[in-house]
Amino acid sequence: MNRSDLVAFYAPRLESMPEPALVMDQSGDVLYANRTLREMGNTPAGALAPGDLAEELRALVRDWGLQTPGDGRPPVREFRLRVVLPDGAGTRHVNWKCAAVPAADGIAALAWGTFKSTGPGREMGFTVLPSGIIQAASPALCAVCGYSRDELVGRPARQFYYTAASRRRIVNQLNERSEVENGAVTLRRKDGSPLTLWYSAEAIRDAEGSIRAYSGYFQERPFPFSSKLASEFTRIVDALPDLAWVCGRDLRIVAANQAYLQAYGRDRHDVIDRTEYDFLEPRQARFPIEAAIKVFEEKQELLHPAVPHLTDPKVWYRVIRRPIFDDDRQEVIGLLGIAQDISAKVLQENAFMEQLRGGEGDVVVVTDDQGRILRRSSQTLNPSIFGRPETFDAYTLDMRPVLDLLHAEDLPKVRQAMHTALREHREQHLECRIRNQAGEYSTVLARLVYNDACYGEPRMYAVVRDISGQVGLRTAPMVIERLRQASGARTDRELASFLNVSAAAISNARKSGRIPPDWLIDTGLRTGRSIDWLVCGTQARPN
């Protein structure tokens, strides 16, 4: 059997293979390439990046030609190269196997490749660089998301995930395990609506093991358990007095009680088998969808103590979202949501918070007995600490723990003050530094007040006022200058005479940065000047 006979024998078999395959002669020329490989670029070399399959096989064929019988060399060789896909989706890894086939007129090489984990890539394929920039996207992916190729390629991938945490989770998995099969992720369509897809992906590495790209594909296929969730939970949610609903992993609601429908003024056919994006305004739908995604990804219960109604800000709810696990308690297949009306309690707390505020610039932050932020007043500091969020998520999203905001050196005294306020119910006053959104620290005066009357549970109300502008006015040289102004002294020596201390005492106070309290008290009593003005320089002088 010569090489022509070999090609005639193997060609029909290779043509039926869904993955790339070819036959080469001893000189490295391609005798036959199957349809899959032809679609990748007509020639093997044109389809590979950066390695050249023809060169790799040519070396193997030459090596086989030098073999002697019984030398122990394996009849099949394996190696991996990266291929460029024909659908514009970028690169994939292909594991190649090559076998030498003796012929009457020389040696032929039979080679076939297997895509590593991600398949041939004819679905909604993509390739993302380690920097997070989208390098390639197939037309099918662009179409299902509503973008043109130019709107995707060259843009940061994080812009197209519904939450930033989703992308971080996928990248971490690929860095740790190199590949993910049959994962689920929610993307953001061009119109802003959520699109939950299955995905498989792998980390593309070079010969040194460094990651060159992340590549894979998405698939649109039904999510299981939707009918199971509907049949098992419809009666349960109908029996609950509060707003209650169940959604599947694809974010579509499969069960909702009458209280839920009435709260949004919808009929059952408007809600069932739809996401919140389908029956709420896009701005309103963002919060519940992001909250649901967080439950599915973190596999933990999510509690929002005070959330304004998305369509009626006068109504407030305590919302809890609980994950529903599969029978093996490994994967979250659904979510049970319950919203309890707490409008009366919020109204009472609002009045208490407003009563605590001593000025227009005061911000009131409410925490539980663990120091976790529950809500805050609508005012914000400048530069902003929390920012000015949307009305409906001001009390729920992006609320970092109190201790994460504080300067490390201030943590001990803040902990002590919080403990005293919460455990001993004694009002506390302190100054501390809080990180703002400008990346710097604002110095604030905080008043900590305990109260459990509104909800019947311990809460701490921190009334915060930015005093950063006063810090410079309270330095020792500035205080000494105000002491001189109050006493009428023109020099340090005259001030020392007024205070009945030595001139050296004034000099030492300026150098050490510490002003004896009795100097302030004595000057205040004798001149009628406010102690606050002497210390801070911000109080108006008495008439």
Side-chain angles (χ1 to χ4, degrees):
M1 180 180 292
N2 57 30
R3 285 175 293 184
S4 298
D5 296 331
L6 287 175
V7 171
F9 176 78
Y10 283 110
R13 294 162 175 78
L14 300 184
E15 192 67 22
S16 64
M17 294 176 64
E19 294 179 314
L22 56 82
V23 180
M24 294 181 65
D25 65 15
Q26 192 166 353
S27 63
D29 295 328
V30 176
L31 302 178
Y32 177 80
N34 72 349
R35 177 181 177 182
T36 302
L37 191 57
R38 294 196 301 272
E39 288 179 348
M40 288 183 179
N42 297 321
T43 63
L48 297 172
D52 187 337
L53 176 62
E55 288 299 323
E56 185 77 25
L57 292 178
R58 188 178 292 112
L60 290 175
V61 172
R62 286 196 301 266
D63 188 35
W64 273 317
L66 298 175
Q67 289 188 49
T68 57
D71 66 357
R73 298 187 186 186
V76 177
R77 307 291 178 85
E78 298 184 12
F79 56 93
R80 178 188 295 179
L81 293 176
R82 299 196 299 274
V83 301
V84 177
L85 297 174
D87 63 354
T91 61
R92 292 285 191 281
H93 272 152
V94 173
N95 294 329
W96 288 93
K97 292 185 178 181
C98 302
V101 182
D105 52 352
I107 297 177
L110 178 66
W112 63 97
T114 303
F115 283 93
K116 181 175 173 58
S117 81
T118 59
R122 293 190 178 89
E123 301 86 352
M124 294 175 282
F126 65 91
T127 299
V128 179
L129 298 175
S131 62
I133 301 299
I134 299 175
Q135 185 187 50
S138 68
L141 178 58
C142 296
V144 77
C145 293
Y147 297 99
S148 67
R149 186 185 292 267
D150 290 341
E151 289 174 320
L152 285 179
V153 175
R155 302 276 299 279
R158 65 176 182 275
Q159 297 180 4
F160 305 100
Y161 289 89
Y162 210 86
T163 65
S166 298
R167 181 184 179 275
R168 289 195 298 269
R169 173 177 58 86
I170 293 174
V171 171
N172 290 339
Q173 289 176 339
L174 291 174
N175 289 341
E176 293 173 1
R177 309 200 314 246
S178 292
E179 63 185 62
V180 177
E181 293 188 66
N182 294 322
V185 67
T186 301
L187 303 179
R188 189 187 303 275
R189 289 189 178 100
K190 187 175 182 178
D191 63 6
S193 61
L195 174 64
T196 304
L197 300 170
W198 297 98
Y199 75 94
S200 293
E202 63 174 328
I204 305 294
R205 301 177 185 270
D206 58 22
E208 288 72 35
S210 299
I211 295 178
R212 301 291 298 272
Y214 303 102
S215 185
Y217 62 87
F218 297 104
Q219 287 181 308
E220 256 190 314
R221 64 176 191 264
F223 280 78
F225 305 112
S226 293
S227 59
K228 173 182 172 68
L229 290 170
S231 62
E232 292 184 358
F233 283 91
T234 297
R235 290 186 178 181
I236 294 176
V237 299
D238 285 343
L240 295 174
D242 301 313
L243 278 67
W245 70 98
V246 173
C247 72
R249 182 62 184 84
D250 57 358
L251 305 176
R252 296 182 182 277
I253 296 175
V254 299
N257 65 2
Q258 194 61 32
Y260 184 93
L261 300 176
Q262 290 177 351
Y264 292 105
R266 304 292 178 177
D267 294 328
R268 191 169 297 276
H269 65 80
D270 297 324
V271 172
I272 299 303
D273 200 33
R274 299 177 183 272
T275 71
E276 284 97 343
Y277 194 92
D278 296 322
F279 59 87
L280 292 174
E281 293 294 328
R283 183 182 63 86
Q284 298 169 338
R286 180 175 64 84
F287 162 63
I289 289 175
E290 288 185 357
I293 292 173
K294 186 173 183 179
V295 172
F296 285 119
E297 293 190 343
E298 298 184 1
K299 302 181 180 181
Q300 293 182 352
E301 179 178 284
L302 183 61
L303 170 65
H304 290 133
V307 182
H309 192 321
L310 297 177
T311 59
D312 185 356
K314 296 179 181 179
V315 179
W316 287 72
Y317 294 103
R318 179 181 185 271
V319 183
I320 185 169
R321 291 175 171 83
R322 293 171 177 163
I324 301 173
F325 288 89
D326 59 14
D327 294 337
D328 297 328
R329 295 198 61 80
Q330 297 297 316
E331 297 298 327
V332 178
I333 61 174
L335 174 153
L336 169 63
I338 300 174
Q340 178 187 17
D341 191 330
I342 57 169
S343 302
K345 295 180 180 179
V346 169
L347 188 63
Q348 181 183 359
E349 186 174 61
N350 286 346
F352 179 69
M353 292 169 64
E354 188 60 31
Q355 183 182 5
L356 290 176
R357 295 179 64 234
E360 290 297 324
D362 289 352
V363 174
V364 182
V365 180
V366 186
T367 76
D368 62 10
D369 58 356
Q370 302 298 315
R372 295 173 296 195
I373 297 176
L374 303 177
R375 57 176 300 204
R376 67 166 173 84
S377 56
S378 58
Q379 296 77 19
T380 182
L381 300 178
N382 185 23
S384 175
I385 292 176
F386 295 114
R388 193 178 297 279
E390 299 290 341
T391 301
F392 59 86
D393 69 3
Y395 307 91
T396 53
L397 296 180
D398 299 326
M399 289 301 183
R400 294 165 291 178
V402 174
L403 299 182
D404 287 347
L405 298 173
L406 295 168
H407 194 288
E409 295 177 0
D410 294 337
L411 288 177
K413 67 177 180 181
V414 173
R415 286 196 184 100
Q416 181 60 43
M418 292 176 62
H419 182 274
T420 302
L422 288 166
R423 301 294 181 262
E424 302 179 18
H425 305 174
R426 288 194 288 124
E427 186 173 309
Q428 299 294 299
H429 297 259
L430 75 153
E431 292 180 11
C432 59
R433 289 159 291 180
I434 300 180
R435 185 184 296 108
N436 58 48
Q437 290 190 338
E440 302 172 347
Y441 282 93
S442 300
T443 300
V444 300
L445 177 64
R447 173 188 171 204
L448 310 183
V449 180
Y450 173 89
N451 186 293
D452 60 2
C454 298
Y455 291 87
E457 59 187 32
R459 290 194 172 195
M460 186 184 73
Y461 297 80
V463 186
V464 182
R465 177 181 300 176
D466 192 342
I467 59 171
S468 300
Q470 302 177 19
V471 173
L473 298 176
R474 294 186 304 178
T475 61
M478 295 299 294
V479 174
I480 291 174
E481 178 61 28
R482 286 192 292 274
L483 289 172
R484 286 169 54 179
Q485 292 180 32
S487 65
R490 291 173 298 177
T491 65
D492 285 358
R493 186 175 296 278
E494 290 181 5
L495 177 60
S497 178
F498 176 83
L499 295 172
N500 197 26
V501 298
S502 66
I506 302 295
S507 178
N508 291 336
R510 181 180 279 106
K511 292 178 180 178
S512 66
R514 297 178 180 179
I515 306 298
D518 57 327
W519 293 5
L520 301 169
I521 296 172
D522 183 41
T523 301
L525 291 175
R526 293 169 62 186
T527 65
R529 297 294 177 88
S530 165
I531 299 295
D532 288 334
W533 179 79
L534 291 172
V535 174
C536 302
T538 56
Q539 293 284 339
R541 304 181 190 182
N543 295 326

